[in-house]
Amino acid sequence: MGRGRGIMSEQFKEELAKELGFYDKVKQNGWGEITANEAGSMVKRAVQIAEESLKRDRT
């Protein structure tokens, strides 16, 4: 995958950052300023959302 192309949409990433409490940092400084822990939290939450969605779709 080339640099600058991601799996998550910009809107989804912004929603996750808001939910996790560091959107202001992203808004002010860009995505390059988030910590590895914050990025990991985003991925973990995205996986949780995907799993919940799959679970709902199966019922």
Side-chain angles (χ1 to χ4, degrees):
M1 181 180 310
R3 189 147 174 81
R5 294 185 61 199
I7 294 173
M8 290 190 260
S9 72
E10 192 70 18
Q11 180 180 357
F12 186 57
K13 291 191 305 187
E14 289 175 2
E15 290 173 15
L16 289 173
K18 287 175 186 175
E19 180 180 327
L20 296 169
F22 56 87
Y23 178 70
D24 288 339
K25 181 196 292 191
V26 171
K27 191 174 177 182
Q28 286 183 343
N29 305 314
W31 291 107
E33 294 297 316
I34 66 171
T35 66
N37 281 339
E38 289 166 335
S41 294
M42 286 182 67
V43 172
K44 182 177 179 179
R45 182 64 183 128
V47 169
Q48 288 173 338
I49 290 169
E51 288 174 339
E52 290 167 3
S53 177
L54 286 172
K55 199 178 223 181
R56 278 193 306 271
D57 290 347
R58 290 181 181 165
T59 59

